Structure formats: C-alpha cells, structure tokens
Amino acid sequence: MEREAVKRLFMQHYARMQRVARTLLYDVQESEDVCQDIFESLLRGETVLVPGTEERYLMTSVRNRCLKRLRHEKLTKALPQRGSGEGADIEDDWLEDIVEFATSHLSEREQRIFNLRFTEGYSYEEIAAAEGISKVAVWKRLSHAITEVKKHFNPKSL
Amino acid sequence: MNPLDDKKLFFDMQEHPENYSDEQLEAMMAELDKEPDTEEAWQKTLSRPLPCRERREYKWQHKLLLSLQGRGRERVRIAAIFTAIAFLGIMSLASYRAFFYKTTTDNGQQTTDTTAVKTERFYYDVQDGDTIFRFENIRLDSILAVVSRHYERQVIWGDKAPAHLRLFITCRTSHTLREFVDMMNMFDGFRITQDLNILYVESDEKKEGKR
C-alpha cells in the first residue's frame, strides 16, 4: 500500500483506534504500540486492504490485538474471562458472544452506548451528544453494561 | 498523576462510579479521550526500527522481570553469586593480561590492545516535528533499511562486503537524501551513490577497481 494512502488512513482513524485501545488496555504506551503495529504492517505491505473495508479492518484489528495482549499478559481480569489454553482465534468468538449477550440482556440505550464505545471508538462526549445525556451518565450506563457482561461471563471477577 | 497509570483506580471507577464525584469521572474520561498528536504518532510509526529484534528483546526482559518478581529473593541471591563469580573471573583475566602486556613491552615489542565491546543501540527522538535517529554500533545494512524506508528508496548492494560494517551515526528526517549520502560517504569502506529511486552501495575496493 502506498505510504500516502496509509498516512491518509492514519490521520483519519488513529484517534478513534487509540480510544478503543485505551478503553481496553488502559495504558497509553501499549495503546500506541498496538495502533502503530497495525499501520506498520500496512506500510510493509504485509496486509492488503480491499477498498471500502479500511475502517472496519482497522477498528476490528485494534480490538483483536488488544484482546490478544490482554490474554497474553493475563490482564483479562479487567474483562470477562474464559478458560485458558483455547485456540488463538477464540477472541473473535468471545467477542461475538459478548455482543450477542449485550443485544439480549442490556437495555437498548446501553447496547448503543456499549457498541459506540467498544466497537466504533466514539468519545464519551460524542456518545453523550448522540444520546442527549451527560458524559457522567454515559460513564454510569457503560459501567452498568460492563458489570452485567462481567457477571455473566466471569462471575468470579466480581 | 495520569489516571491511566493507575489501573486499579480505573477498574474501581468503572465498578463503583457512585464512590466518585462527577469531576473525578470527567477527569478520567478526559484522559481516556485525550486527542493524540497524530502527526507525531505518524512519525513514530515511520521510524520504528528493527521491530522483530526489539520485540524479542522486550519479551526477554519482560520474562526475566517476571521470573525475578515471581521467585523472589532466592533467584536474586543466585544471580548475585553468578555475578560475583563472573567479576572474579574478569579480574583474574585482567591481571593476566596486564602481566602479559608488561612482559611483551619489556622485550621491546609494542603491543596495542584496543579491543572494546560496544553494545548495539538504535533509538530516535522527536523534536519539533523533526525525528532524530541515533545509530550506535549498528550494521550498515540495518541503517540503510531504516533510512531507505524513510526516503522511499531501494537499496542495491554492488557487493555485500560492507553490509556488516558497524557505524555510529546520527541523522535527522529534515536532512535531504543528498546530505545523508554525503555524510555516509565520509566513512571508509564503502561508497553510496544515488540514482533515481535507488541507493547503490559498494565497497571502496570495488569502486577503486572500476576506475
């Protein structure tokens, strides 16, 4: 992929990718590493993107890489856990399960907030504006959603 | 303190937001949503060096740290004993060499011992949007791999002999390719020539032979 094209994607999506990474890893340096790894692989031509799928690829990659790091560093206590020793592709199934759970057990508003933050990488302010509530209310809704997810997938963590 | 430095605080705020004031929650949200300097981050991405080697080193250091933390003082004690043995060994070797040096110079022979063990180091620094690369004892081929990517040039080796040469050099992204090439050509052992998108590298001997 041409450097200019990669740069354009970087400028367009980096901030949102950072937000997803920070929300999952809670670590500035690690979040930068994860996002830069993705763009480095594009620069080296290891990944070829189909036009129109760039945003989805970048947001999914950042989420998956963060989850892999969490698993690797055994920091998954921050998120719902599953048994260890399962395949490397488990993260995708795991996230699908969480999304399925979210759609069936959370209120509509909580589902939207959860999705906007963890999948789309929206800022708290953007979510608050979209939902017409305060930022603190967004935090509390998200907090409730995460607690519910944890309770279902990893009751011991509570 | 940056709230992101304290993961426990983050988890607690997430699980028990009722224990925190709105201001505290907003401070945490502001930290999480802080806009990154994308231009600086882009420069950092471009100048990430030798990724595989760095990550291996990181993992090795990380494992060592975990093993020291996990197994406590026993491990530290064993490491200290090994260090002491190594230190005594080096001291004995140094005494022997000092004695040997003295006897050879006594016989009227000049001996030089300038062997120095230098560690490889590559790092970069961003200052006012200008990235400064510092290569210390790095192979020429590794240096050119990083720099050629920055200038978007292909490196072609006339002969591979100079590839293993190790250099100490500092360069900046604000330098033109011409300046970089001129600077590199001040070293002995190789010549770099620029032709369109190609950086052609050959040893001094080969270059002389052509003339």
Side-chain angles (χ1 to χ4, degrees), chain B:
Chain B
M1 187 181 68
N2 179 345
L4 281 183
D5 291 340
D6 192 346
K7 292 181 182 179
K8 277 185 189 166
L9 174 70
F10 178 88
F11 297 138
D12 196 55
M13 276 186 163
Q14 201 176 56
E15 283 169 21
H16 306 288
E18 67 279 4
N19 296 342
Y20 296 87
S21 67
D22 288 0
E23 288 73 27
Q24 284 172 305
L25 294 177
E26 281 184 357
M28 176 59 88
M29 284 187 271
E31 196 57 44
L32 285 166
D33 282 350
K34 204 159 142 187
E35 281 295 317
D37 182 341
T38 39
E39 190 54 50
E40 189 182 325
W42 171 248
Q43 289 300 330
K44 273 188 186 173
T45 307
L46 289 181
S47 54
R48 291 176 98 197
L50 312 170
C52 300
R53 185 171 64 79
E54 275 207 336
R55 276 173 211 154
R56 272 203 299 277
E57 278 175 8
Y58 172 75
K59 278 182 188 167
W60 178 83
Q61 287 157 357
H62 188 62
K63 274 185 188 166
L64 178 68
L65 195 66
L66 283 180
S67 107
L68 285 175
Q69 281 173 345
R71 287 163 197 169
R73 289 184 181 173
E74 196 57 38
R75 285 268 167 179
V76 176
R77 208 172 295 142
I78 293 167
I81 291 167
F82 274 106
T83 312
I85 292 169
F87 178 71
L88 286 173
I90 291 165
M91 289 299 286
S92 319
L93 185 67
S95 315
Y96 169 77
R97 287 179 76 92
F99 176 73
F100 180 74
Y101 177 79
K102 189 171 184 299
T103 49
T104 51
T105 46
D106 284 351
N107 291 335
Q109 293 171 355
Q110 286 266 324
T111 333
T112 51
D113 186 1
T114 54
T115 311
V117 179
K118 297 273 183 188
T119 48
E120 288 182 20
R121 209 164 157 223
F122 172 81
Y123 55 100
Y124 61 90
D125 196 12
V126 179
Q127 284 178 5
D128 304 326
D130 187 12
T131 308
I132 301 166
F133 299 88
R134 291 196 172 88
F135 301 92
E136 292 181 4
N137 200 29
I138 301 288
R139 284 171 58 118
L140 177 62
D141 51 359
S142 301
I143 294 174
L144 290 180
V146 174
V147 175
S148 63
R149 195 167 79 182
H150 171 69
Y151 291 110
E152 295 182 299
R153 295 292 191 278
Q154 190 189 353
V155 178
I156 293 188
W157 296 87
D159 61 307
K160 271 288 192 180
H164 70 278
L165 290 174
R166 290 177 174 274
L167 308 176
F168 291 74
I169 186 168
T170 301
C171 39
R172 295 166 171 268
T173 48
S174 59
H175 283 164
T176 63
L177 180 60
R178 183 76 264 159
E179 286 171 324
F180 170 74
V181 169
D182 288 345
M183 185 167 63
M184 292 298 277
N185 283 335
M186 290 167 78
F187 289 98
D188 291 332
F190 63 89
R191 295 288 300 168
I192 301 177
T193 43
Q194 185 197 341
D195 185 16
L196 296 174
N197 288 331
I198 291 169
L199 288 176
Y200 191 76
V201 192
E202 58 189 341
S203 61
D204 271 349
E205 294 80 26
K206 198 163 178 179
K207 184 103 180 168
E208 295 299 323
K210 275 185 188 173
R211 282 177 188 162

